[in-house]
Amino acid sequence: MQKLSLKWNWRYLRIELFVLFFISFMISIISDLEFSTYEQHDVSRFAEDLDYRLVCGAFSFIMYGGFYWLFLKRYVLKSNIWGVLLCLTGFVFVNQIANHYILNWIIVHADFISADIRARTLGYRLNFAVNYLFISVFFPLLGLAFLIRTLQQNEAMKTLKEQQLFSELNYLKAQLHPHFFFNTINNIYSLALQQSPLTAPMVARLGELMRYILYEANQNKVFLQREIQFLNNYVEVEQMRYTEEKRITFDVQVVEASHQIEPLLLLPFIENAFKHGLAEETDDGFVRIVVCATERELILEVVNSKPKGNAYRKVPGIGTENVRKRLELLYPNRYTLEVQEDYKQFHVNLTLMQA
């Protein structure tokens, strides 16, 4: 896990400032307001000692903030239990001594504070109110430090998961590229053996496919129109291999310019339709491909003929296995994949829900 940072973070700083402000000012102010209302039965008397409370609150804010940011938070983020205990002990003494010698001196010499409060302050003795200090200050600040620590840990874990996801997706893509090129080069090799005039056009089309894979498919997302253009080029390459008796259709419905998709996500299903359908078909075979995009979902339907005597492949190929893993990583709980077969055909239906 990434090391937790001690640097300022505005999102967390706002939480810390609010808690420190509430502990330093609002607790005593709310207490005075309640006392004026329920004990003195005169809410207006709340304002009599407001200047005194503001001075005490400002002093406390400085003391508590320094204690929290300079010591307590650092030890909590570093999981240093002995440091936290040392803070607990030291804070009791330092806070009480600072209140007695510094805060009281400020109050006594502050002309805007009432003479009665200044007179009473002169008579205060040094004491250690440990219980109140723990309940109202130390434990809330300790809880705040642990809250910030938890938030930073969650953020670090999220970043780590994103990095792992990115690495795994790149690994799956790297596996898919050689697999795709291997199948396409086999197609060209087959035509070359037959001395087919389609060999040169197929090599040119392969160049376009390679350009897309090498220079565009390394992005996180591409425009769906561009991906479909790539798939159409692949289908044209396959059409060059087969006789006119093989029926191959590629139908695209409702694709807007703004639609995007992860590159090479649909290719393995189309590859398999040709590789395990037409490539093994000796009679009149077919491949039907439909891509339909709406505002909320993208649907891919691939249907291909099933060669006679061809049993269902229980062990998926590299491309199919990769695309299943990529779907789990990219569309968790946002996709459905149905693969059906009968004695005549294979049927694949993939639906991707938009985020």
Side-chain angles (χ1 to χ4, degrees):
M1 182 180 295
Q2 296 180 354
K3 185 177 180 180
L4 297 182
S5 175
L6 293 172
K7 296 181 179 180
W8 296 105
N9 186 311
W10 177 241
R11 289 181 300 170
Y12 305 144
L13 182 60
R14 286 182 296 181
I15 299 174
E16 294 168 334
L17 289 173
F18 173 79
V19 173
L20 286 168
F21 179 82
F22 187 86
I23 294 174
S24 302
F25 291 95
M26 298 308 299
I27 290 180
S28 60
I29 290 177
I30 293 173
S31 178
D32 284 352
L33 183 61
E34 291 178 342
F35 181 78
S36 300
T37 303
Y38 298 114
E39 299 296 331
Q40 297 177 320
H41 305 289
D42 184 3
V43 70
S44 64
R45 298 190 62 179
F46 156 75
E48 292 178 357
D49 299 333
L50 184 59
D51 49 1
Y52 168 75
R53 289 302 180 190
L54 292 177
V55 171
C56 292
F59 183 82
S60 297
F61 186 88
I62 296 173
M63 287 292 298
Y64 301 160
F67 164 70
Y68 172 78
W69 280 305
L70 296 178
F71 301 101
L72 182 62
K73 180 180 178 181
R74 291 176 176 269
Y75 289 127
V76 169
L77 293 185
K78 294 178 180 179
S79 300
N80 187 338
I81 185 63
W82 291 110
V84 173
L85 293 176
L86 181 63
C87 279
L88 183 153
T89 305
F91 180 65
V92 172
F93 290 96
V94 173
N95 184 76
Q96 296 298 330
I97 292 174
N99 282 344
H100 182 76
Y101 291 104
I102 301 177
L103 177 59
N104 287 353
W105 184 90
I106 294 174
I107 293 173
V108 169
H109 293 82
D111 295 334
F112 56 87
I113 296 178
S114 67
D116 180 58
I117 292 180
R118 285 186 288 164
R120 279 185 289 157
T121 302
L122 286 173
Y124 286 163
R125 295 181 179 180
L126 178 62
N127 58 73
F128 295 92
V130 177
N131 185 59
Y132 174 80
L133 194 63
F134 278 12
I135 294 175
S136 63
V137 179
F138 186 82
F139 287 137
L141 291 182
L142 182 63
L144 174 63
F146 274 103
L147 172 63
I148 299 301
R149 181 175 184 266
T150 301
L151 293 175
Q152 289 192 359
Q153 285 179 331
N154 291 341
E155 185 176 6
M157 183 63 69
K158 180 181 178 181
T159 301
L160 181 61
K161 287 183 178 180
E162 290 176 350
Q163 292 174 348
Q164 291 176 336
L165 173 63
F166 181 75
S167 298
E168 187 166 356
L169 288 173
N170 283 341
Y171 173 74
L172 294 175
K173 283 184 183 180
Q175 280 190 313
L176 181 62
H177 295 176
H179 176 261
F180 167 78
F181 287 130
F182 178 78
N183 289 342
T184 307
I185 290 173
N186 275 348
N187 295 344
I188 296 175
Y189 177 73
S190 176
L191 291 176
L193 289 178
Q194 303 171 18
Q195 297 183 346
S196 170
L198 297 176
T199 303
M202 183 177 283
V203 171
R205 189 68 70 185
L206 176 61
E208 296 179 12
L209 298 174
M210 290 179 64
R211 188 178 299 108
Y212 176 80
I213 289 180
L214 294 177
Y215 298 108
E216 297 184 50
N218 59 348
Q219 303 176 45
N220 292 332
K221 286 192 175 184
V222 296
F223 287 107
L224 181 56
Q225 287 182 334
R226 187 69 184 91
E227 181 77 1
I228 288 177
Q229 182 182 352
F230 165 79
L231 295 176
N232 184 68
N233 289 340
Y234 176 79
V235 171
E236 289 182 2
V237 168
E238 293 291 350
Q239 285 176 324
M240 297 178 188
R241 295 180 54 200
Y242 299 105
T243 61
E244 295 181 357
E245 287 76 15
K246 309 290 186 180
R247 292 167 294 165
I248 302 173
T249 60
F250 184 52
D251 184 23
V252 180
Q253 303 174 4
V254 193
V255 176
E256 297 182 1
S258 60
H259 285 163
Q260 292 185 318
I261 189 175
E262 287 72 14
L264 307 180
L265 192 61
L266 308 180
L267 176 63
F269 299 109
I270 298 175
E271 270 192 295
N272 284 341
F274 289 99
K275 181 178 179 181
H276 303 294
L278 293 190
E280 301 176 11
E281 180 65 80
T282 56
D283 297 326
D284 184 20
F286 67 90
V287 171
R288 294 197 301 269
I289 305 166
V290 178
V291 178
C292 178
T294 66
E295 291 183 359
R296 295 186 176 181
E297 60 186 18
L298 171 67
I299 300 172
L300 170 69
E301 183 178 24
V302 181
V303 183
N304 63 274
S305 56
K306 180 178 178 181
K308 294 181 180 179
N310 185 9
Y312 179 71
R313 293 193 328 135
K314 295 184 178 180
V315 180
I318 295 176
T320 304
E321 189 68 17
N322 278 358
V323 78
R324 287 182 181 273
K325 291 180 180 179
R326 291 181 69 194
L327 287 171
E328 288 295 332
L329 293 171
L330 296 169
Y331 293 88
N333 303 318
R334 292 193 294 114
Y335 82 94
T336 58
L337 176 60
E338 298 178 358
V339 180
Q340 301 174 348
E341 69 165 310
D342 54 32
Y343 68 96
K344 288 185 177 181
Q345 65 183 24
F346 291 101
H347 187 178
V348 176
N349 192 293
L350 172 66
T351 301
L352 304 178
M353 275 70 77
Q354 300 295 330

